[in-house]
Amino acid sequence: MTITVEMSSSSTSDAGRLADIVRGAAWDAKLEPCDAADVARMRASADTVDARLATGAPIYGLTQGFGPLVLFRADSELEQGASLIAHLGTGQGRPLDADVSRLVLWLRLNSMRKGFSAVSPDFWNRLAELWNQGFTPVIPRDGTVSASGDLQPLAHAALSLTGEGEAWMRDEQSRWAVRPAAEVLARLGAEPLVWPVREALAFVNGTGVGLAQAIVNHQSALRLTRAVAVLAARIAALLGSNPEHFDDGVAIARGQTGQLTVTGWLRRDLPAGLVHDPRRPLQEPYSVRCTPQVLGAVLDQLDAAGAILAREADGVTDNPITYDGRVLHAGNFHAMPVGFAAEQTGLAMHMAAYLAERQLALLVSPVTNGDLPPMLTPRAGRGCGLAGVQISATSFVARLRQLVAPASLTTLPTNGWNQDHVPMALNGANGVADALELGWLTVGSLAVGVAQLTAMLERRDTATGVWGELEAISPPLAADRPMAAEVRAARDLLQRHAAELLETPGSPA
């Protein structure tokens, strides 16, 4: 009996949507100006606010103060706008990467043009034109609780557009450098902005900073998962593992979408006609045998998180908003969806990195590598082989685990009685970003192990394509040598290769 499983394309479309968003915010990308439909929506939103103001009814941030100061009246929109971004200029720490900062602005601009935020089309077009010219604020990554949006980092972005603070600038070699924001604006021939309170409030009351970092993390975690699958298939092929572990029927019997996908990856990456080497056990250790199950579960979690992030990227997250002729005061700026999605990305990615570390451990032990020398050294006793590489990989995973601990567990109330429940979404996304750096170093460590296994088994005839590039990075060990640079180069190779595979799923390794 043949059983077929129909797989939904929704997760694929969500991942594709996030990839499109990242490409759409690239350095050389352009935002289209507001079209007639955009202008109509934005003006209708502004008219709704004006109509409420005409009745004398209060509106947060326009007639009233901010946060717990909402009890107090405010008079000047320009004074309120300047006050809003000034008092929130308290962010600290190293800046977000420039590509993340560009994505932050792209997300806020696309939200503000949807017609819920009472933003002036003319002001929006000025912001978009600066973004199109390459203006990219320097945004400090620490200091927001992500509850009334990512207030502090978005305020620093807004301040940069006024000529305060710093901005990124690219040189002729496409390298980013930090310069005073006023200098960068002057080089672009642009006047500093003055923020009216409506636009300032719509800009800073959003989840865009944690969201941008979470999207970048998600895409990196997806590539990392694909890279571990590529290396797992190479290990299975080199060792002659039982191909039954990766049979389509196993995945079909269980019916988990991620496992079905990863099994497909492995089947494409394994050599045709792989035969079980009788010297290998019938059932490999779980780090090899359960690769489809582990990475499949990782992929399912990434798909779920990606769907949430894609919806958030298409949504509106400021306050107040207008809808159907009404001004609505609410809490879309609370970044709990982003926070959970960011954390789940980190927890799932950790399992892929941990699997890579366990596979490296399998390669360096004679108990599991087929009685090859310990640490894959050709000079046992005189040489130490991959001992240092494995120890560092173990450290990477241990530190990674600290960094992906859920930030939502550290929530603290703040802002008087106002922000009494906060998600800490950007804190979580920042931790995952740092963890991904270590996860990729773990992948690079395993890749170096695969290169040395290939040499030890005298299978260099199979080192074609990406494996030939890997051998050039990490040639056979004749004597011990420092391997830190090889790990980094192998990481870079696997990052690029995984990205290519995800863009062209049918391509072989």
Side-chain angles (χ1 to χ4, degrees), residues 175 335 444 459:
R175 295 173 301 196
R459 297 287 303 280

Side-chain angles (χ1 to χ4, degrees), residues 460-471:
R460 297 171 67 185
D461 60 307
T462 66
T464 59
V466 69
W467 308 122
E469 294 182 64
L470 183 60
E471 182 188 27

Side-chain angles (χ1 to χ4, degrees), residues 171-192:
D171 61 19
E172 292 77 8
Q173 286 75 42
S174 297
R175 295 173 301 196
W176 289 103
V178 173
R179 303 297 303 159
E183 176 187 327
V184 178
L185 286 169
R187 289 197 180 201
L188 295 175
E191 291 292 324

Side-chain angles (χ1 to χ4, degrees), residues 12-319:
T12 303
S13 61
D14 289 328
R17 170 67 179 139
L18 294 181
D20 288 342
I21 287 171
V22 172
R23 282 190 292 268
W27 166 253
D28 56 352
K30 301 296 181 186
L31 276 166
E32 293 296 324
C34 290
D35 60 22
D38 294 328
V39 171
R41 290 193 306 269
M42 295 165 81
R43 286 182 176 163
S45 180
D47 289 346
T48 297
V49 169
D50 289 339
R52 176 161 173 145
L53 288 173
T55 69
I59 298 179
Y60 174 74
L62 273 65
T63 68
Q64 310 300 122
F66 303 114
L69 301 173
V70 69
L71 298 176
F72 298 87
R73 294 281 299 177
D75 298 317
S76 167
E77 287 200 17
L78 283 178
E79 181 182 355
Q80 278 286 87
S83 173
L84 176 62
I85 64 173
H87 92 275
L88 293 171
T90 57
Q92 302 290 348
R94 74 176 191 263
L96 297 170
D97 290 344
D99 60 335
V100 176
S101 292
R102 285 193 63 73
L103 179 54
V104 168
L105 264 65
W106 189 95
L107 290 165
R108 295 309 303 134
L109 284 163
N110 276 280
S111 171
M112 291 162 67
R113 80 190 300 173
K114 290 181 181 293
F116 295 92
S117 307
V119 169
S120 159
D122 292 337
F123 193 89
W124 188 97
N125 280 326
R126 287 192 65 196
L127 286 175
E129 180 55 31
L130 283 170
W131 189 89
N132 286 342
Q133 289 178 270
F135 187 84
T136 305
V138 168
I139 302 177
R141 76 204 297 253
D142 298 320
T144 184
V145 297
S146 303
S148 188
D150 290 311
L151 291 171
Q152 280 76 7
L154 285 170
H156 279 276
L159 286 166
S160 183
L161 288 157
T162 71
E164 295 284 338
E166 296 174 319
W168 294 99
M169 190 168 65
R170 281 167 74 94
D171 61 19
E172 292 77 8
Q173 286 75 42
S174 297
R175 295 173 301 196
W176 289 103
V178 173
R179 303 297 303 159
E183 176 187 327
V184 178
L185 286 169
R187 289 197 180 201
L188 295 175
E191 291 292 324
L193 293 181
V194 176
W195 285 89
V197 68
R198 297 190 197 194
E199 284 73 19
L201 194 57
F203 186 80
V204 303
N205 265 188
T207 64
V209 185
L211 176 60
Q213 186 64 71
I215 288 173
V216 170
N217 291 347
H218 180 275
Q219 295 295 286
S220 180
L222 187 60
R223 291 190 294 272
L224 186 146
T225 305
R226 187 68 182 93
V228 176
V230 167
L231 290 167
R234 178 66 172 167
I235 291 167
L238 289 170
L239 295 179
S241 300
N242 187 348
E244 293 174 11
H245 303 338
F246 317 113
D247 194 283
D248 292 338
V250 179
I252 291 171
R254 192 173 201 178
Q256 291 288 0
T257 303
Q259 184 178 337
L260 285 160
T261 300
V262 172
T263 298
W265 290 350
L266 293 166
R267 299 297 300 177
R268 284 192 295 270
D269 294 339
L270 287 167
L274 176 64
V275 176
H276 179 211
D277 187 333
R279 294 171 295 180
R280 295 301 299 176
L282 177 67
Q283 297 190 151
E284 290 283 357
Y286 289 4
S287 60
V288 173
R289 191 196 335 163
C290 296
T291 294
Q293 289 79 12
V294 174
L295 295 185
V298 170
L299 192 59
D300 281 337
Q301 294 302 312
L302 292 179
D303 284 347
I308 293 169
L309 296 175
R311 289 195 295 270
E312 189 81 353
D314 288 332
V316 173
T317 58
D318 50 283
N319 173 63

Side-chain angles (χ1 to χ4, degrees), residues 220 223-224 226-228 230-231 396 436-448 466-467 469-471 473-474 483-501:
S220 180
R223 291 190 294 272
L224 186 146
R226 187 68 182 93
V228 176
V230 167
L231 290 167
F396 299 151
L436 273 158
E437 295 180 13
L438 298 172
W440 275 111
L441 287 171
T442 307
V443 170
S445 301
L446 175 60
V448 166
V466 69
W467 308 122
E469 294 182 64
L470 183 60
E471 182 188 27
I473 288 170
S474 185
M483 304 187 82
E486 295 175 33
V487 168
R488 294 193 298 273
R491 168 203 62 191
D492 295 345
L493 172 64
L494 267 296
Q495 283 181 329
R496 185 178 72 250
H497 184 58
E500 292 169 352
L501 289 174

